[in-house]
Amino acid sequence: MTILVTGATGTVGRRVVDELLQRGQKVRALTRNALHENLPAGVEVVEGDLSDPSTLAAALDGVSGMHLMTTGAQYTPLQTGPEIVELATKAGVRKVTVLWSGEKGAVEQAVEASNLDWTFLQPVEFMGNSRKWADSIRSEGLVRDMLGSALNASVHEADIGRVAAVALTEEGHAGKEYLLTGPEAITVQDKVRIIGEAIGRDLRFVEVSIDEEREQMRKMGVQADVIEYVIDWNLNPPKMAYTVVSTVEEVIGQPAQTFAEWAEEHAHCFLGQT
Ligand SMILES: NC(=O)c1ccc[n+]([C@@H]2O[C@H](COP(=O)([O-])OP(=O)(O)OC[C@H]3O[C@@H](n4cnc5c(N)ncnc54)[C@H](OP(=O)(O)O)[C@@H]3O)[C@@H](O)[C@H]2O)c1
């Protein structure tokens, strides 16, 4: 049977694709623009837009499981949850993993109310967010960010992919809400030091004010309400943001990956011109 991965061209979805392929699953990837995808051989690529359910029939045809995004462009919560759930149910989908966006919006609510065997994946923060520092590390050997001593238990996106693949291909995960963290809570400054160790460079950390961070994000093209959400989340982090839980290890049967492992794997992103 085929498993449909939405968000397959993105940070987490691509990891879900890779893990499912490793398990010998038939994978179909959803993208809004097949011309821009860069998915591995063996993946069936189908165009469709989650914000327009009328485009999803081909993507859902013959699908038994689905990994589902809950946000669309610019991380705006999708309002099409009920239609997506109805189409998926009619198509015969049974298992669904849902990548939550921090709150239960229209997609999460519709899935929760359905007869689908859903599993919610609730990562606190992706280790991959640190890629936003790549430009200044490459060009200046430094990181400008706010709240350098704030602790965070971010999770490797590959581990989210592994948990999703297990939930989509094995029994015993229906109705579960999996909070996903890495194996340690570390600070922003720790992360900068660890990336420095991975690339063999002493990196400087420059703590910026909240207003400066707001401006940095604005220049990166982040939408105003998303900026405010991120800033508020960082100023008032929920306890789960810095509390390590063992869900990844319990589900996949191996320890969650450390930030040092993430940094080694992504060293190429931070190497370049000096
Ligand atoms: N960053 C974090 O720390 C964090 C923590 C917890 C939860 N989250 C949640 O994780 C999600 C982002 O995941 P990510 O970082 O893996 O994504 P990403 O790398 O930003 O990529 C976005 C993906 O969503 C797809 N997409 C966007 N709008 C779509 C639409 N209307 N229809 C179909 N596909 C659409 C894109 O596909 P195409 O462009 O190919 O169409 C792309 O694959 C968000 O919901 C966010 O709230 C993030």
Side-chain angles (χ1 to χ4, degrees):
M1 292 296 276
T2 300
I3 295 181
L4 175 68
V5 179
T6 71
T9 58
T11 307
V12 169
R14 176 55 197 269
R15 299 299 190 136
V16 179
V17 168
D18 291 345
E19 295 298 327
L20 288 169
L21 288 177
Q22 276 207 18
R23 290 176 159 250
Q25 284 295 319
K26 229 170 127 184
V27 178
R28 184 179 293 159
L30 185 80
T31 177
R32 288 162 301 172
N33 188 344
L35 283 178
H36 292 160
E37 56 85 9
N38 186 18
L39 288 155
V43 174
E44 181 192 358
V45 179
V46 175
E47 282 194 359
D49 186 331
L50 290 167
S51 66
D52 179 0
S54 71
T55 64
L56 298 176
L60 282 163
D61 186 38
V63 164
S64 63
M66 171 167 68
H67 174 72
L68 185 57
M69 296 277 295
T70 62
T71 56
Q74 284 278 355
Y75 302 135
T76 310
L78 289 161
Q79 299 306 313
T80 45
E83 293 92 334
I84 293 170
V85 164
E86 194 185 335
L87 287 169
T89 305
K90 274 193 188 147
V93 172
R94 190 164 71 84
K95 291 178 187 288
V96 180
T97 51
V98 179
L99 179 64
W100 87 326
S101 61
E103 52 200 30
K104 282 193 180 160
V107 173
E108 289 93 330
Q109 288 174 29
V111 171
E112 203 170 25
S114 74
N115 291 323
L116 297 167
D117 285 348
W118 51 260
T119 308
F120 285 145
L121 309 178
Q122 308 181 332
V124 286
E125 188 181 316
F126 306 164
M127 290 181 180
N129 291 354
S130 295
R131 283 179 309 188
K132 70 178 179 182
W133 298 329
D135 282 349
S136 69
I137 286 180
R138 282 199 300 262
S139 60
E140 300 173 81
L142 64 76
V143 166
R144 293 183 189 85
D145 212 327
M146 58 183 175
L147 308 171
S149 56
L151 282 168
N152 183 274
S154 57
V155 61
H156 195 310
E157 37 280 3
D159 280 332
I160 308 173
R162 289 185 189 105
V163 170
V166 168
L168 286 166
T169 57
E170 296 180 15
E171 296 304 319
H173 304 280
K176 301 273 175 68
E177 300 192 21
Y178 287 144
L179 181 63
L180 304 175
T181 72
E184 58 197 346
I186 58 175
T187 66
V188 172
Q189 282 164 303
D190 289 332
K191 288 184 180 177
V192 175
R193 175 182 48 76
I194 291 167
I195 292 171
E197 286 165 5
I199 63 173
R201 257 182 106 177
D202 247 345
L203 300 177
R204 227 158 38 90
F205 175 74
V206 178
E207 184 156 309
V208 300
S209 69
I210 304 301
D211 279 344
E212 286 167 324
E213 179 62 16
R214 205 175 257 124
E215 184 56 17
Q216 285 197 130
M217 282 196 270
R218 199 189 57 74
K219 281 188 186 151
M220 287 165 77
V222 184
Q223 206 170 277
D225 55 340
V226 178
I227 293 177
E228 292 315 314
Y229 176 85
V230 171
I231 286 183
D232 185 54
W233 199 89
N234 280 281
L235 286 175
N236 307 290
K239 196 171 167 211
M240 66 177 191
Y242 49 84
T243 306
V244 173
V245 293
S246 52
T247 324
V248 167
E249 184 160 4
E250 283 160 23
V251 175
I252 69 173
Q254 51 184 283
Q257 288 193 270
T258 62
F259 189 77
E261 289 172 295
W262 182 92
E264 285 287 337
E265 185 186 333
H266 293 84
H268 61 279
C269 302
F270 303 102
L271 289 166
Q273 93 251 32
T274 48

